[in-house]
Amino acid sequence: MSEPFTSPIKTVQEIPELRTLIQSQRKQDASIGFVPTMGALHAGHVSLIEAARQDCDFVVVSIFVNPTQFGPNEDFDSYPRLLAQDLEKCQTAGADLVWVPTTDIMYPPHFSTYVEVKTLSEILEGATRTNHFQGVTTIVTKLLLSCLPDKAFFGAKDYQQQAIIRQMCLDLNIPVEIKTCPTVRDANGLALSSRNAYLSEAERESALSLSHALNLAKERIQAGETNLNHIKTEMQRLLKTTPLVKLDYATIVDAQTLEELETPQPQMVALVAAFVGTTRLIDNCTLN
């Protein structure tokens, strides 16, 4: 008979209990920080929890692999689920509470309401991953309204996602401050992602082409290049000529609207997305 699983940190599953615990903290004038995750935590997630710990009195982390943001041929079933390891990382990083709702809790029978941010959700990632952002904005709305934190922490690696969530909170008057934290990278420059676990050694080497393409864009801008189309073409060529890489997009956009740019402006972001083997990866960097 196996030993019963015990958590190193307090966990909660049901929404009423979550709200009761948060309300008790508010009665003590505690500020609430929230880090939503899908688990399989890495150093990037840990940095978000640590940022929340520095900024807030009480830190809540959610772990929920959200089915509605996966496409029919994507990796929902195989997405890494490592709860015991995740809870240990949450505790070490300074979280106070981990919320682990079930799919039935978040999407009960007869669930029929979805949140959609137009325009921003229809380009880039949204152009190739149908309904992905509808799934993201729906679940993030539910997560935020379930615990109503003062601040919620997201990583800059998912640049389009955090931009959409900002717009969503603004449009729906959700009283939460969205904090975007820097991308955490391996020593070789590869942006950390739970999906990196899928990569073989050869694929990890090829995946470095994403950050190389971004560095190329940054170097060209710093050198005074003003023809962004030339830079985008160079980024695309680099990715297309890398073994095991299948390019989705490599572009430069407005930092707020995400509209594609042809000439430089003060706030720009270079964005890339590609399949490395069968694993789809994204990355970005700001260009100023």
Side-chain angles (χ1 to χ4, degrees):
M1 185 174 180
S2 61
E3 290 293 322
F5 174 75
T6 57
S7 169
I9 188 173
K10 183 170 181 57
T11 63
V12 62
Q13 189 173 79
E14 300 290 342
I15 294 173
E17 185 181 359
L18 171 74
R19 288 175 171 164
T20 297
L21 291 169
I22 291 175
Q23 186 178 31
S24 68
Q25 292 297 317
R26 290 206 176 280
K27 288 179 179 178
Q28 301 173 48
D29 294 324
S31 59
I32 310 300
F34 178 54
V35 182
T37 82
M38 292 207 302
L41 304 186
H42 51 64
H45 297 109
V46 169
S47 73
L48 298 180
I49 300 169
E50 291 173 343
R53 176 76 280 154
Q54 292 178 358
D55 218 1
C56 303
D57 300 316
F58 189 78
V59 177
V60 181
V61 177
S62 67
I63 296 175
F64 177 67
V65 183
N66 176 39
T68 65
Q69 69 189 70
F70 289 80
N73 297 313
E74 294 185 346
D75 57 341
F76 174 72
D77 289 333
S78 61
Y79 195 85
R81 292 162 171 84
L82 306 165
L83 183 58
Q85 294 178 33
D86 289 344
L87 293 175
E88 290 179 1
K89 290 177 180 177
C90 286
Q91 183 178 49
T92 301
D96 296 294
L97 177 67
V98 180
W99 177 28
V100 284
T102 64
T103 301
D104 287 342
I105 288 172
M106 301 312 295
Y107 298 103
H110 311 299
F111 182 88
S112 58
T113 301
Y114 293 87
V115 178
E116 186 174 12
V117 177
K118 294 291 188 181
T119 307
L120 283 177
S121 293
E122 298 165 350
I123 56 177
L124 301 167
E125 291 296 286
T128 55
R129 301 184 70 191
T130 306
N131 295 327
H132 167 69
F133 283 122
Q134 183 189 76
V136 170
T137 46
T138 298
I139 193 59
V140 172
T141 298
K142 290 173 67 64
L143 294 172
L144 293 178
L145 293 180
S146 294
C147 63
L148 277 180
D150 297 289
K151 299 177 182 181
F153 295 78
F154 293 84
K157 184 180 74 69
D158 296 302
Y159 190 89
Q160 185 175 7
Q161 173 180 280
Q162 61 85 33
I164 288 169
I165 289 168
R166 287 178 185 277
Q167 187 66 47
M168 178 191 77
C169 290
L170 179 66
D171 292 346
L172 298 182
N173 301 319
I174 299 176
V176 177
E177 180 182 352
I178 303 301
K179 305 280 285 187
T180 302
C181 300
T183 300
V184 176
R185 300 180 180 276
D186 281 339
N188 58 14
L190 180 64
L192 297 189
S193 167
S194 298
R195 289 189 168 94
N196 289 356
Y198 300 151
L199 300 173
S200 68
E201 186 174 342
E203 289 168 346
R204 287 185 69 88
E205 185 67 26
S206 292
L208 295 177
S209 62
L210 275 72
S211 60
H212 292 166
L214 297 174
N215 289 335
L216 182 155
K218 184 176 291 187
E219 291 168 0
R220 294 293 188 273
I221 292 294
Q222 291 174 345
E225 174 67 73
T226 58
N227 189 326
L228 298 188
N229 287 332
H230 284 171
I231 299 175
K232 286 182 268 186
T233 298
E234 288 188 64
M235 294 169 64
Q236 292 161 7
R237 183 183 299 118
L238 187 158
L239 289 160
K240 287 179 179 178
T241 56
T242 301
L244 307 177
V245 173
K246 180 181 178 183
L247 175 67
D248 188 342
Y249 59 79
T251 189
I252 299 173
V253 302
D254 179 278
Q256 275 72 49
T257 67
L258 305 187
E259 293 177 354
E260 194 160 9
L261 299 173
E262 295 186 358
T263 56
Q265 65 178 42
Q267 293 184 313
M268 304 180 290
V269 181
L271 300 167
V272 295
F275 281 92
V276 182
T278 59
T279 304
R280 191 173 187 280
L281 300 176
I282 60 174
D283 202 351
N284 69 81
C285 72
T286 56
L287 304 172
N288 298 317

